[in-house]
Amino acid sequence: HPTKRESLYADLREELPKELEKKRNLYREQLPEDAVEQVWQRFHDALMPLHSAGKLGAVLFQFPQWFVIARKNKEYVLECRDRLKDFRIAVEFRHKSWLEERNREETIGFLEENGLPFVCVDMPQGFDSSLPPIAVATSKDLAMVRFHGRDPKAWTTKSETAAERFRYEYKEKELREWVPKIKDLSQQARETHVLMNNCYRDYAVNNARELRSLLEEE
């Protein structure tokens, strides 16, 4: 994703080339290499206290819709891993090309070979940003699932807050679909993290509580 210029560290903003002074959004390739190095290092250092206290499960990299399957993008995924080698990272894609039938084996193999957890998703279907709700553990250490809701209208409508986009409360039947999948993941990986991203009001908390009860039934 691009970064708003105002979000960049003040001292780094002052060192930007003049042609970037009036840019509202900045992309990685526009920044001087030393600025990129500084951003990564400061991000790493900010996470270290959580990691040292045993409170950092993983760093989740959610790549944007325009991040399609390609050699250069695979290389960038590996760069993210190498930049944060002190932490576990998990990878969530947002373009269908990664799991299209012709590419699925390649994608899963790439993640397995590099020990990178694939983030399984429950999300609206039928869009370029949609991935199928498959459950696969590509790392023996960590498996991860994220629930984004199933409202196709909210998924594509621009809203003032992120919560509006994920305004969806799962029905018990929909959560139950994932029970065998999550249990299977837990047999494949040492840890399984399940995250409710339907962050509207108390929807996520309620669904998390309900899903936990379903998992404890058997």
Side-chain angles (χ1 to χ4, degrees):
H1 292 285
T3 298
K4 292 185 181 299
R5 187 178 180 278
E6 294 77 12
S7 299
L8 199 62
Y9 297 101
D11 60 316
L12 297 183
R13 287 203 306 269
E14 295 173 358
E15 298 177 2
L16 290 176
K18 289 186 177 181
E19 60 267 24
L20 298 180
E21 288 181 355
K22 296 183 179 181
K23 293 286 186 180
R24 181 179 180 183
N25 295 317
L26 299 174
Y27 291 85
R28 180 188 187 279
E29 56 268 22
Q30 295 176 313
L31 298 178
E33 193 58 35
D34 59 338
V36 174
E37 293 289 337
Q38 278 293 316
V39 169
W40 273 111
Q41 187 61 51
R42 295 181 194 189
F43 182 53
H44 172 280
D45 294 347
L47 293 173
M48 185 53 74
L50 283 173
H51 174 69
S52 299
K55 295 183 178 181
L56 181 65
V59 181
L60 192 157
F61 281 87
Q62 176 191 299
F63 294 100
Q65 181 177 341
W66 55 87
F67 194 83
V68 301
I69 186 170
R71 178 182 298 178
K72 67 175 183 178
N73 287 340
K74 288 182 182 179
E75 291 174 351
Y76 185 66
V77 171
L78 295 181
E79 179 186 347
C80 293
R81 178 201 62 183
D82 295 340
R83 294 277 193 178
L84 299 180
K85 58 185 178 181
D86 290 326
F87 316 123
R88 295 189 298 187
I89 78 166
V91 178
E92 179 175 345
F93 297 117
R94 281 290 179 86
H95 191 271
K96 63 182 182 180
S97 61
W98 292 93
L99 286 186
E100 287 178 329
E101 186 174 350
R102 60 180 177 173
N103 297 326
R104 184 174 300 186
E105 184 176 345
E106 177 185 345
T107 297
I108 299 303
F110 163 71
L111 295 173
E112 288 178 338
E113 181 181 345
N114 292 284
L116 295 170
F118 169 73
V119 179
C120 310
V121 292
D122 186 284
M123 66 196 308
Q125 297 297 300
F127 304 100
D128 286 345
S129 59
S130 301
L131 270 70
I134 66 170
V136 58
T138 55
S139 165
K140 294 181 179 180
D141 183 53
L142 175 66
M144 189 175 293
V145 183
R146 288 184 85 197
F147 288 80
H148 296 297
R150 297 185 179 183
D151 186 345
K153 183 177 180 180
W155 189 254
T156 56
T157 301
K158 290 186 177 181
S159 56
E160 293 184 3
T161 66
E164 288 292 337
R165 188 183 187 195
F166 304 110
R167 182 178 179 175
Y168 187 86
E169 191 163 21
Y170 283 90
K171 300 177 179 62
E172 178 182 325
K173 179 181 178 181
E174 295 169 332
L175 294 174
R176 194 177 289 277
E177 294 172 8
W178 275 93
V179 170
K181 295 180 181 180
I182 293 172
K183 289 186 175 182
D184 185 50
L185 289 172
S186 70
Q187 297 299 313
Q188 299 178 53
R190 185 176 63 85
E191 292 181 21
T192 301
H193 296 185
V194 180
L195 311 175
M196 307 304 300
N197 194 41
N198 53 336
C199 49
Y200 181 81
R201 293 183 178 175
D202 59 353
Y203 289 3
V205 175
N206 290 339
N207 281 155
R209 185 183 298 113
E210 188 172 8
L211 180 58
R212 182 180 64 180
S213 296
L214 293 173
L215 288 166
E216 292 175 345
E217 280 184 357
E218 299 179 10

